[in-house]
Amino acid sequence: MIFGRSERGNPPVEPVTLKILVAGGFGVGKTTLVGAVSEIRPLRTEEVLTEAGRPVDDTSGVEGKHTTTVAMDFGRITLREELTLYLFGTPGQDRFWFLWDELAAGALGAVVLADTRRLEDCFAAVDYFERRSIPFVIGVNCFEDASRHPAEDVRRALDLDDDVPVVLCDARERESVKEVLIEVVRHAMAHTADHRAGVTT
């Protein structure tokens, strides 16, 4: 079992490493999430926003943000002794979307971070993972100045399938982020099991 230890007398469980993407719109908290939970110093590829990028960078709703991820964020977290996740935060701006296919290769699943004040910003990420049949979880990043909405309201607004988990979280808090990542692994493993069952029947 991926979440359990081997019982006494049984051979030890082989370590498993899994790749998880963290996606969503610009300024939604992807870099914060990876940094909050990573047990190593996160690799960040942030650059300062410049006047030259103003015509192509939509900063509506995040006018106070002065940097942007131009390639990826990378972090690592060990959920259990035998289970380690490698986290890859995707760039949120359209001009860096050519990197997504490379980052998505070999991913077990993804977190799509959402900000209820700018919910439309995560539509593209949802569409990306749906089209590629990559299991994903919606993590609603509960900003202090944003209205709180029940998970089911967010599900309806995003027109999600019933089996896609929607989790309220705080991207700054390690334990909150861990719960989201555990949900991603559970959902992805169930998705994989369902796919295999469909193939064999």
Side-chain angles (χ1 to χ4, degrees), residues 23-25 97 100 111-113 121-130 136:
W97 270 59
W100 278 49
V111 178
V112 177
L113 269 185
D121 288 359
C122 70
F123 287 166
V126 168
D127 184 62
Y128 180 90
F129 296 124
E130 285 182 340
F136 64 94

Side-chain angles (χ1 to χ4, degrees), residues 94-111:
D94 293 350
R95 60 191 171 115
F96 298 120
W97 270 59
F98 65 92
L99 296 168
W100 278 49
D101 287 343
E102 291 293 330
L103 292 175
L108 176 77
V111 178

Side-chain angles (χ1 to χ4, degrees), residues 74-124:
F74 173 77
R76 184 189 72 199
I77 177 174
T78 302
L79 290 181
R80 298 288 188 274
E81 183 178 348
E82 71 280 5
L83 176 61
T84 301
L85 303 185
Y86 291 105
L87 308 177
F88 290 81
T90 63
Q93 294 166 281
D94 293 350
R95 60 191 171 115
F96 298 120
W97 270 59
F98 65 92
L99 296 168
W100 278 49
D101 287 343
E102 291 293 330
L103 292 175
L108 176 77
V111 178
V112 177
L113 269 185
D115 179 351
T116 56
R117 300 167 300 181
R118 299 177 292 120
L119 203 55
E120 66 279 1
D121 288 359
C122 70
F123 287 166

Side-chain angles (χ1 to χ4, degrees), residues 4-76:
R5 297 176 181 273
S6 60
E7 294 181 10
R8 187 171 299 176
N10 290 340
V13 177
E14 288 294 321
V16 175
T17 58
L18 303 174
K19 180 179 182 180
I20 303 293
L21 298 185
V22 181
F26 175 58
V28 77
K30 300 181 296 294
T31 298
T32 300
L33 183 149
V34 173
V37 80
S38 180
E39 63 198 14
I40 62 172
R41 183 176 181 180
L43 168 66
R44 293 175 174 164
T45 57
E46 286 197 307
E47 296 292 341
V48 176
L49 290 169
T50 64
E51 285 299 318
R54 188 176 294 277
V56 293
D57 295 334
D58 182 9
T59 58
S60 302
V62 285
E63 291 82 2
K65 185 170 171 59
H66 303 295
T67 61
T68 184
T69 298
V70 297
M72 66 173 184
D73 298 310
F74 173 77
R76 184 189 72 199

